[in-house]
Amino acid sequence: MNFKESHTLILNNVARFIDLTELEKQKYISLLAEVKVKKKAYLMQAGEIAQYEYFIAKGCLKVYTLDEDGAPHISMFAIEDYWTGDMASFMTKEPTRYFIKATEDSELLGISRSNYGLLFQEIPKFERFYRILYQRSLISYIRRSNHGISLDAVERYIAFKKKYPKVVNRITQKDLAAYIGITPEFMSKIISKVNRM
Amino acid sequence: MNFKESHTLILNNVARFIDLTELEKQKYISLLAEVKVKKKAYLMQAGEIAQYEYFIAKGCLKVYTLDEDGAPHISMFAIEDYWTGDMASFMTKEPTRYFIKATEDSELLGISRSNYGLLFQEIPKFERFYRILYQRSLISYIRRSNHGISLDAVERYIAFKKKYPKVVNRITQKDLAAYIGITPEFMSKIISKVNRM
DNA sequence: TAAAAGTCTTAAACTAGTTCATTTTTTTTC
DNA sequence: GAAAAAAAATGAACTAGTTTAAGACTTTTA
């Protein structure tokens, strides 16, 4: 994939909520950095300060923390047409507690902190874009955290498969367990149980 | 409390992120509805379509869903200077799955769906206000959903007490259990255990 | 201010999910 | 394409949190 394609993708993503003139499109693209991450490479590691927010043009990454026992907790799988990063660290400049690791060769577009600030000055419409983007993210986070509490592990697995059917086939069972919030052993049990149903 | 006080509160809240002229302040206030809810009364019930987003000037409310077994899961306690409602239902006009019930006599300011739309037309600065508000909510939701997964019940209780020391004394142990995600019986055990430490 | 309703405590039996240990299968790497 | 590394499956012993039940304490309401 050349960068023309990733630019088209991100412009289509933005066009969901705001209309940009040709000039604004060019300006926006000029504020983005092109980033490639090989499978198993890290885009971010705990302790660093997040310098970019990312749009994924191609590939798949897992976003996770490690608890005190060193066990990973995956908070999201980021694929094409999604946004990722650690907004808390990006905004506050505090060190992140997240790792972001590519599970496939991936191509991203990143916006730096200073360009993120510039963007609102130069194209105020982007306040609206991000207002709507964050509003929608908030809605889906709230839904998800409710599911996390009120459903048992089997139901959470079935809900994930239903909501992200394409993702299930691109990730390992172990990573899925770390996302669902159970051990790989129990995940294995669940899957063979669900398949038998 | 008369409404002047609640207006001052909401304007101070908004002033955290944007500056308004006197005229804009008046315009904004004119778009808000004054709402009072008595203790134990509902601000919202599952099945309704959310018509307002609310700012709490005074009081305390619990936001919760009921699972298939009829057990409540509290997703937040909303107190003075916080915002509440069901944004998903407010935005999509789908019926809400939430109940919002006052745990104390409360006074709120509500913005209707049509006024929310108007607000952005009349005072575009509010795109920025909500962009930042949602961004910060998102950050705290992400933090919280991570805690929910990686901490055990005792740790979740201690974290809640530390983060919201004023709220703990205003709610019942039963409601706290429904928020932490455990049974009231186990909550009772935890509290006597933590007090003995 | 008495009775009713709701909340809190305690304890024993139970269950969803963990831990640990071993074997089989799949994927990666040279 | 063989060897090494990682992922998946299986099973037995274990634990954090649930369920059920019953009595004590507090708050609400008439």
mmCIF file of all heavy atoms in Angstrom, chain A residues 118-139:
data_model
loop_
_atom_site.group_PDB
_atom_site.id
_atom_site.type_symbol
_atom_site.label_atom_id
_atom_site.label_comp_id
_atom_site.label_asym_id
_atom_site.label_seq_id
_atom_site.Cartn_x
_atom_site.Cartn_y
_atom_site.Cartn_z
ATOM 1 N N LEU A 118 -2.448 22.451 16.775
ATOM 2 C CA LEU A 118 -2.507 23.274 15.548
ATOM 3 C C LEU A 118 -3.783 23.038 14.763
ATOM 4 O O LEU A 118 -4.398 23.971 14.242
ATOM 5 C CB LEU A 118 -1.329 22.925 14.645
ATOM 6 C CG LEU A 118 -0.140 23.888 14.610
ATOM 7 C CD1 LEU A 118 0.932 23.356 13.645
ATOM 8 C CD2 LEU A 118 -0.592 25.290 14.185
ATOM 9 N N LEU A 119 -4.141 21.758 14.672
ATOM 10 C CA LEU A 119 -5.304 21.358 13.877
ATOM 11 C C LEU A 119 -6.540 22.163 14.258
ATOM 12 O O LEU A 119 -7.278 22.646 13.384
ATOM 13 C CB LEU A 119 -5.553 19.871 14.111
ATOM 14 C CG LEU A 119 -6.658 19.185 13.314
ATOM 15 C CD1 LEU A 119 -6.380 19.291 11.829
ATOM 16 C CD2 LEU A 119 -6.769 17.714 13.723
ATOM 17 N N PHE A 120 -6.768 22.330 15.549
ATOM 18 C CA PHE A 120 -7.954 23.058 16.010
ATOM 19 C C PHE A 120 -7.868 24.545 15.677
ATOM 20 O O PHE A 120 -8.879 25.180 15.395
ATOM 21 C CB PHE A 120 -8.168 22.849 17.512
ATOM 22 C CG PHE A 120 -8.444 21.420 17.880
ATOM 23 C CD1 PHE A 120 -7.640 20.758 18.781
ATOM 24 C CD2 PHE A 120 -9.508 20.735 17.301
ATOM 25 C CE1 PHE A 120 -7.882 19.431 19.111
ATOM 26 C CE2 PHE A 120 -9.765 19.414 17.619
ATOM 27 C CZ PHE A 120 -8.938 18.763 18.528
ATOM 28 N N GLN A 121 -6.638 25.076 15.694
ATOM 29 C CA GLN A 121 -6.457 26.480 15.317
ATOM 30 C C GLN A 121 -6.700 26.685 13.827
ATOM 31 O O GLN A 121 -7.381 27.622 13.420
ATOM 32 C CB GLN A 121 -5.036 26.943 15.637
ATOM 33 C CG GLN A 121 -4.791 27.214 17.117
ATOM 34 C CD GLN A 121 -3.325 27.552 17.361
ATOM 35 O OE1 GLN A 121 -2.690 28.267 16.584
ATOM 36 N NE2 GLN A 121 -2.784 27.017 18.448
ATOM 37 N N GLU A 122 -6.140 25.791 13.029
ATOM 38 C CA GLU A 122 -6.165 25.986 11.574
ATOM 39 C C GLU A 122 -7.498 25.563 10.956
ATOM 40 O O GLU A 122 -7.956 26.168 9.996
ATOM 41 C CB GLU A 122 -5.029 25.194 10.932
ATOM 42 C CG GLU A 122 -3.671 25.508 11.564
ATOM 43 C CD GLU A 122 -2.727 26.156 10.569
ATOM 44 O OE1 GLU A 122 -3.033 26.155 9.360
ATOM 45 O OE2 GLU A 122 -1.663 26.649 11.009
ATOM 46 N N ILE A 123 -8.079 24.486 11.489
ATOM 47 C CA ILE A 123 -9.353 24.002 10.943
ATOM 48 C C ILE A 123 -10.293 23.719 12.116
ATOM 49 O O ILE A 123 -10.444 22.571 12.548
ATOM 50 C CB ILE A 123 -9.163 22.723 10.091
ATOM 51 C CG1 ILE A 123 -7.918 22.828 9.192
ATOM 52 C CG2 ILE A 123 -10.416 22.441 9.257
ATOM 53 C CD1 ILE A 123 -7.593 21.567 8.404
ATOM 54 N N PRO A 124 -10.954 24.786 12.626
ATOM 55 C CA PRO A 124 -11.791 24.642 13.832
ATOM 56 C C PRO A 124 -12.868 23.570 13.704
ATOM 57 O O PRO A 124 -13.320 23.022 14.713
ATOM 58 C CB PRO A 124 -12.424 26.028 13.994
ATOM 59 C CG PRO A 124 -11.480 26.964 13.331
ATOM 60 C CD PRO A 124 -10.904 26.196 12.165
ATOM 61 N N LYS A 125 -13.273 23.257 12.476
ATOM 62 C CA LYS A 125 -14.218 22.156 12.254
ATOM 63 C C LYS A 125 -13.804 20.868 12.960
ATOM 64 O O LYS A 125 -14.634 20.010 13.234
ATOM 65 C CB LYS A 125 -14.262 21.813 10.750
ATOM 66 C CG LYS A 125 -15.242 22.577 9.930
ATOM 67 C CD LYS A 125 -15.103 22.132 8.464
ATOM 68 C CE LYS A 125 -15.301 23.302 7.522
ATOM 69 N NZ LYS A 125 -14.956 22.936 6.124
ATOM 70 N N PHE A 126 -12.485 20.704 13.172
ATOM 71 C CA PHE A 126 -12.021 19.472 13.806
ATOM 72 C C PHE A 126 -12.445 19.357 15.268
ATOM 73 O O PHE A 126 -12.475 18.257 15.813
ATOM 74 C CB PHE A 126 -10.502 19.282 13.637
ATOM 75 C CG PHE A 126 -10.159 18.515 12.399
ATOM 76 C CD1 PHE A 126 -9.852 19.185 11.221
ATOM 77 C CD2 PHE A 126 -10.193 17.119 12.396
ATOM 78 C CE1 PHE A 126 -9.568 18.478 10.066
ATOM 79 C CE2 PHE A 126 -9.903 16.411 11.248
ATOM 80 C CZ PHE A 126 -9.590 17.086 10.066
ATOM 81 N N GLU A 127 -12.808 20.482 15.907
ATOM 82 C CA GLU A 127 -13.405 20.391 17.238
ATOM 83 C C GLU A 127 -14.658 19.528 17.136
ATOM 84 O O GLU A 127 -14.911 18.661 17.966
ATOM 85 C CB GLU A 127 -13.780 21.779 17.792
ATOM 86 C CG GLU A 127 -12.619 22.713 18.050
ATOM 87 C CD GLU A 127 -11.878 22.445 19.358
ATOM 88 O OE1 GLU A 127 -12.110 21.400 20.002
ATOM 89 O OE2 GLU A 127 -11.040 23.293 19.713
ATOM 90 N N ARG A 128 -15.437 19.808 16.097
ATOM 91 C CA ARG A 128 -16.666 19.044 15.891
ATOM 92 C C ARG A 128 -16.373 17.581 15.584
ATOM 93 O O ARG A 128 -16.991 16.684 16.146
ATOM 94 C CB ARG A 128 -17.481 19.666 14.746
ATOM 95 C CG ARG A 128 -18.789 18.936 14.495
ATOM 96 C CD ARG A 128 -19.643 19.625 13.433
ATOM 97 N NE ARG A 128 -20.867 18.888 13.180
ATOM 98 C CZ ARG A 128 -21.971 18.986 13.910
ATOM 99 N NH1 ARG A 128 -22.007 19.793 14.936
ATOM 100 N NH2 ARG A 128 -23.042 18.267 13.618
ATOM 101 N N PHE A 129 -15.399 17.357 14.694
ATOM 102 C CA PHE A 129 -15.050 15.977 14.369
ATOM 103 C C PHE A 129 -14.707 15.194 15.627
ATOM 104 O O PHE A 129 -15.259 14.117 15.871
ATOM 105 C CB PHE A 129 -13.877 15.910 13.386
ATOM 106 C CG PHE A 129 -13.394 14.501 13.181
ATOM 107 C CD1 PHE A 129 -14.155 13.593 12.462
ATOM 108 C CD2 PHE A 129 -12.206 14.068 13.762
ATOM 109 C CE1 PHE A 129 -13.741 12.277 12.309
ATOM 110 C CE2 PHE A 129 -11.790 12.754 13.615
ATOM 111 C CZ PHE A 129 -12.554 11.860 12.885
ATOM 112 N N TYR A 130 -13.808 15.734 16.436
ATOM 113 C CA TYR A 130 -13.393 15.016 17.641
ATOM 114 C C TYR A 130 -14.499 14.973 18.695
ATOM 115 O O TYR A 130 -14.604 14.015 19.446
ATOM 116 C CB TYR A 130 -12.100 15.604 18.221
ATOM 117 C CG TYR A 130 -10.870 15.083 17.512
ATOM 118 C CD1 TYR A 130 -10.155 15.893 16.632
ATOM 119 C CD2 TYR A 130 -10.436 13.776 17.710
ATOM 120 C CE1 TYR A 130 -9.029 15.421 15.971
ATOM 121 C CE2 TYR A 130 -9.309 13.289 17.056
ATOM 122 C CZ TYR A 130 -8.607 14.114 16.187
ATOM 123 O OH TYR A 130 -7.501 13.629 15.539
ATOM 124 N N ARG A 131 -15.322 16.030 18.742
ATOM 125 C CA ARG A 131 -16.460 15.994 19.680
ATOM 126 C C ARG A 131 -17.323 14.767 19.380
ATOM 127 O O ARG A 131 -17.661 13.990 20.267
ATOM 128 C CB ARG A 131 -17.297 17.282 19.556
ATOM 129 C CG ARG A 131 -18.335 17.474 20.655
ATOM 130 C CD ARG A 131 -19.729 17.019 20.311
ATOM 131 N NE ARG A 131 -20.352 17.806 19.241
ATOM 132 C CZ ARG A 131 -21.487 17.473 18.656
ATOM 133 N NH1 ARG A 131 -22.142 16.353 19.022
ATOM 134 N NH2 ARG A 131 -21.975 18.208 17.669
ATOM 135 N N ILE A 132 -17.632 14.573 18.109
ATOM 136 C CA ILE A 132 -18.488 13.448 17.733
ATOM 137 C C ILE A 132 -17.753 12.110 17.883
ATOM 138 O O ILE A 132 -18.305 11.138 18.393
ATOM 139 C CB ILE A 132 -19.035 13.638 16.300
ATOM 140 C CG1 ILE A 132 -19.893 14.917 16.246
ATOM 141 C CG2 ILE A 132 -19.842 12.419 15.863
ATOM 142 C CD1 ILE A 132 -20.369 15.309 14.848
ATOM 143 N N LEU A 133 -16.495 12.074 17.480
ATOM 144 C CA LEU A 133 -15.695 10.846 17.613
ATOM 145 C C LEU A 133 -15.624 10.400 19.072
ATOM 146 O O LEU A 133 -15.865 9.232 19.388
ATOM 147 C CB LEU A 133 -14.283 11.075 17.074
ATOM 148 C CG LEU A 133 -13.364 9.852 17.063
ATOM 149 C CD1 LEU A 133 -13.812 8.829 16.024
ATOM 150 C CD2 LEU A 133 -11.904 10.250 16.796
ATOM 151 N N TYR A 134 -15.316 11.329 19.978
ATOM 152 C CA TYR A 134 -15.192 10.996 21.399
ATOM 153 C C TYR A 134 -16.545 10.624 21.992
ATOM 154 O O TYR A 134 -16.647 9.747 22.839
ATOM 155 C CB TYR A 134 -14.562 12.156 22.174
ATOM 156 C CG TYR A 134 -13.129 12.460 21.797
ATOM 157 C CD1 TYR A 134 -12.601 13.743 21.943
ATOM 158 C CD2 TYR A 134 -12.285 11.466 21.304
ATOM 159 C CE1 TYR A 134 -11.283 14.030 21.601
ATOM 160 C CE2 TYR A 134 -10.970 11.746 20.953
ATOM 161 C CZ TYR A 134 -10.467 13.034 21.105
ATOM 162 O OH TYR A 134 -9.166 13.313 20.762
ATOM 163 N N GLN A 135 -17.578 11.316 21.533
ATOM 164 C CA GLN A 135 -18.920 11.012 22.013
ATOM 165 C C GLN A 135 -19.286 9.566 21.673
ATOM 166 O O GLN A 135 -19.770 8.821 22.515
ATOM 167 C CB GLN A 135 -19.896 11.963 21.347
ATOM 168 C CG GLN A 135 -21.307 11.873 21.841
ATOM 169 C CD GLN A 135 -22.134 12.997 21.257
ATOM 170 O OE1 GLN A 135 -22.163 13.197 20.044
ATOM 171 N NE2 GLN A 135 -22.802 13.747 22.121
ATOM 172 N N ARG A 136 -18.995 9.176 20.440
ATOM 173 C CA ARG A 136 -19.308 7.810 20.017
ATOM 174 C C ARG A 136 -18.438 6.774 20.716
ATOM 175 O O ARG A 136 -18.911 5.689 21.063
ATOM 176 C CB ARG A 136 -19.193 7.696 18.504
ATOM 177 C CG ARG A 136 -20.297 8.508 17.820
ATOM 178 C CD ARG A 136 -20.026 8.711 16.346
ATOM 179 N NE ARG A 136 -19.947 7.464 15.628
ATOM 180 C CZ ARG A 136 -20.753 7.107 14.629
ATOM 181 N NH1 ARG A 136 -21.701 7.936 14.229
ATOM 182 N NH2 ARG A 136 -20.605 5.959 14.037
ATOM 183 N N SER A 137 -17.161 7.108 20.920
ATOM 184 C CA SER A 137 -16.281 6.192 21.654
ATOM 185 C C SER A 137 -16.796 5.995 23.062
ATOM 186 O O SER A 137 -16.813 4.882 23.592
ATOM 187 C CB SER A 137 -14.862 6.745 21.760
ATOM 188 O OG SER A 137 -14.369 7.066 20.499
ATOM 189 N N LEU A 138 -17.201 7.103 23.673
ATOM 190 C CA LEU A 138 -17.732 7.076 25.035
ATOM 191 C C LEU A 138 -18.934 6.145 25.107
ATOM 192 O O LEU A 138 -19.024 5.290 25.995
ATOM 193 C CB LEU A 138 -18.118 8.510 25.410
ATOM 194 C CG LEU A 138 -18.235 8.905 26.874
ATOM 195 C CD1 LEU A 138 -17.066 8.407 27.689
ATOM 196 C CD2 LEU A 138 -18.330 10.428 26.969
ATOM 197 N N ILE A 139 -19.841 6.291 24.158
ATOM 198 C CA ILE A 139 -21.024 5.436 24.130
ATOM 199 C C ILE A 139 -20.619 3.962 24.064
ATOM 200 O O ILE A 139 -21.116 3.136 24.813
ATOM 201 C CB ILE A 139 -21.954 5.812 22.953
ATOM 202 C CG1 ILE A 139 -22.627 7.168 23.221
ATOM 203 C CG2 ILE A 139 -22.996 4.722 22.705
ATOM 204 C CD1 ILE A 139 -23.397 7.751 22.048
#
